Amino acid sequence: MIILLNIGIVLCTIAFMELLSWAMHKYLFHGPLWFIHKTHHQEKHSWFELNDLFSIGFAAFALGLMWIGHLNLDYHFWIGTGISTYGIIYFIFHDWFIHNRFKAFKSNNRYLAGIRRAHKMHHKSMQKNPSEEFGLLVASRKWFRK
């Protein structure tokens, strides 16, 4: 039973991270933290961009939670694992598949194509506003056409 609870904590944390990421992206990254996030919308001059500090911050927070809960494998550990899992999903979807930071894999999958289209639309504007589609794993239905 405890295994199911821990799996549930991880899955709920991943879902919560998608909601949190959407809200942070819309209201903070395209708001008061634009001075950092704008490096992600500009032409790339190096492999590292200032915007990567957000990922480093989330990773540090997740590792801290995992460290706090590692002796008893309590809920801290599993929340940290969920945040880390979301980070891995973010890396694969966002950095690798969408932005081609590494040689991207090809896919004709309708879901992946829709996510890529939505994110490309988000980057259509190089400015703080207007902008749309702030999620990573969830996007408007209009991007999932055949």
Side-chain angles (χ1 to χ4, degrees):
M1 186 63 170
I2 192 77
I3 292 172
L4 292 177
L5 177 63
N6 293 336
I7 290 170
I9 291 171
V10 170
L11 293 176
C12 286
T13 301
I14 292 168
F16 177 76
M17 286 301 296
E18 176 66 7
L19 294 171
L20 180 66
S21 295
W22 179 90
M24 288 181 67
H25 191 183
K26 182 171 180 147
Y27 297 110
L28 292 177
F29 298 173
H30 281 260
L33 297 178
W34 175 251
F35 71 98
I36 296 172
H37 183 63
K38 71 179 176 182
T39 63
H40 180 62
H41 284 263
Q42 296 170 337
E43 184 179 326
K44 305 292 181 260
H45 298 289
S46 70
W47 189 78
F48 181 82
E49 53 193 46
L50 193 58
N51 186 69
D52 293 332
L53 291 175
F54 295 126
S55 294
I56 292 168
F58 275 117
F61 182 69
L63 289 172
L65 286 172
M66 292 170 78
W67 178 255
I68 290 168
H70 84 281
L71 291 177
N72 299 323
L73 293 182
D74 67 11
Y75 70 95
H76 294 95
F77 180 84
W78 299 109
I79 291 172
T81 300
I83 294 170
S84 296
T85 303
Y86 185 82
I88 292 167
I89 293 167
Y90 181 92
F91 172 78
I92 291 169
F93 267 75
H94 185 264
D95 292 341
W96 188 7
F97 179 67
I98 294 171
H99 285 291
N100 299 315
R101 277 189 159 178
F102 302 93
K103 186 166 176 61
F105 52 91
K106 303 267 187 211
S107 176
N108 292 326
N109 179 281
R110 188 172 168 191
Y111 170 74
L112 293 177
I115 291 296
R116 177 179 262 168
R117 274 197 281 293
H119 199 80
K120 295 293 183 185
M121 195 57 168
H122 175 75
H123 280 273
K124 188 175 181 181
S125 172
M126 301 298 259
Q127 302 298 317
K128 182 177 177 179
N129 291 308
S131 199
E132 61 180 316
E133 298 298 341
F134 296 95
L136 174 65
L137 302 174
V138 179
S140 300
R141 285 185 149 192
K142 64 184 175 182
W143 306 114
F144 297 98
R145 66 185 186 278
K146 285 188 175 184

